[in-house]
Amino acid sequence: MSEVFKTVPAESMAGSASLDADAVRAAYRRWAGIYDYVFGAVSASARAEAVAAVNRAPGVAVLEVGVGTGLALPLYQSDKRITGIDLSAEMLDRARSRVRQQALANVDQLLELDAEDTGFETGRFDIAVAMFVASVVPHPIKLAAELRRVVRPGGTILFVNHFASESGPVSWVERAMAPASRALGWHPDFAIDRLIAPEDAAGLTARRMRPFGLFRLVSMINPPRVER
């Protein structure tokens, strides 16, 4: 079941304080050794569903942002050519080991790059997917803009993330956990409105994913570029 993606005015997007790149690196340096066993298990169903959406999307050149330890890499169809990027050298080391051990010939590159400023040429990819990244990067709006830049017009952009609940007991827990953002390496209280500016929200859809609707899959078709 899909839901229409709604945003709020930009002035309400301030939300919780952003994580800086050093905080993200430090957090994932701590988590790298146990990431697959802890978060990997919780996110397995959402990850598989997201990769299935990538596999259905037209085109072959795929950018996976926040590839981490490479948990998603074996799930891609062999005809998809994968470039993975991450800010954590430790996580990438584990992803490269996975590629070697499983002989994943369709993984072209695994690079240590900033998701907000990748340096890739404009329109290089047919598809971009950012799983569990939006609440980690310092400036989510910049992440979304960079993916729109590097994906060709008409290409597919997918985000998978936990987004804060609007009300109820879960929202109270999320707000209570917010001060621990730097240690966790992600924002438990991350608002969906911080990712997409209102003027860019046309045509976006979001649907809840297992388990328990904890994550949402947000998808869009990259619009044609407007020359300024």
Side-chain angles (χ1 to χ4, degrees):
M1 178 70 69
S2 295
E3 54 183 312
V4 176
F5 190 102
K6 298 178 181 179
T7 63
V8 296
E11 58 267 21
S12 67
M13 291 184 188
S16 52
S18 293
L19 293 168
D20 57 74
D22 288 340
V24 173
R25 288 190 184 94
Y28 283 93
R29 189 176 302 118
R30 292 190 297 270
W31 284 104
I34 59 172
Y35 182 89
D36 291 4
Y37 306 103
V38 180
F39 186 71
V42 173
S43 59
S45 178
R47 181 180 300 105
E49 194 171 340
V51 174
V54 171
N55 289 337
R56 290 192 300 269
V60 298
V62 177
L63 173 64
E64 184 181 335
V65 178
V67 68
T69 63
L71 284 169
L73 295 177
L75 305 178
Y76 292 104
Q77 291 177 174
S78 59
D79 62 333
K80 300 294 188 185
R81 306 302 308 184
I82 313 301
T83 296
I85 66 171
D86 204 283
L87 199 59
S88 169
E90 290 79 11
M91 301 284 267
L92 284 169
D93 285 344
R94 293 175 180 274
R96 292 180 183 118
S97 294
R98 191 184 305 275
V99 169
R100 289 192 299 270
Q101 291 167 5
Q102 300 191 30
L104 302 176
N106 62 328
V107 178
D108 290 336
Q109 292 181 297
L110 294 172
L111 304 170
E112 186 177 344
L113 291 175
D114 184 347
E116 296 179 6
D117 185 15
T118 64
F120 292 124
E121 59 269 28
T122 298
R124 171 172 172 174
F125 298 99
D126 301 309
I127 308 159
V129 57
M131 290 182 267
F132 321 112
V133 173
S135 55
V136 172
V137 297
H139 309 101
I141 290 288
K142 288 184 179 180
L143 166 66
E146 178 68 352
L147 297 195
R148 288 195 299 272
R149 185 186 71 78
V150 301
V151 171
R152 63 171 174 79
T156 304
I157 300 174
L158 301 165
F159 298 97
V160 178
N161 216 81
H162 168 75
F163 295 102
S165 304
E166 295 178 2
S167 60
V170 174
S171 70
W172 305 337
V173 174
E174 290 165 346
R175 286 194 293 270
M177 292 174 64
S181 292
R182 288 181 67 88
L184 291 170
W186 59 285
H187 280 297
D189 61 339
F190 182 74
I192 197 168
D193 311 283
R194 296 187 63 211
L195 178 61
I196 304 294
E199 62 268 22
D200 297 323
L204 294 185
T205 61
R207 60 185 172 85
R208 296 189 180 276
M209 308 170 77
R210 296 172 293 175
F212 317 119
L214 183 61
F215 304 109
R216 270 186 272 185
L217 176 63
V218 176
S219 60
M220 65 177 289
I221 301 301
N222 202 26
R225 294 182 182 85
V226 177
E227 297 296 331
R228 300 183 185 276

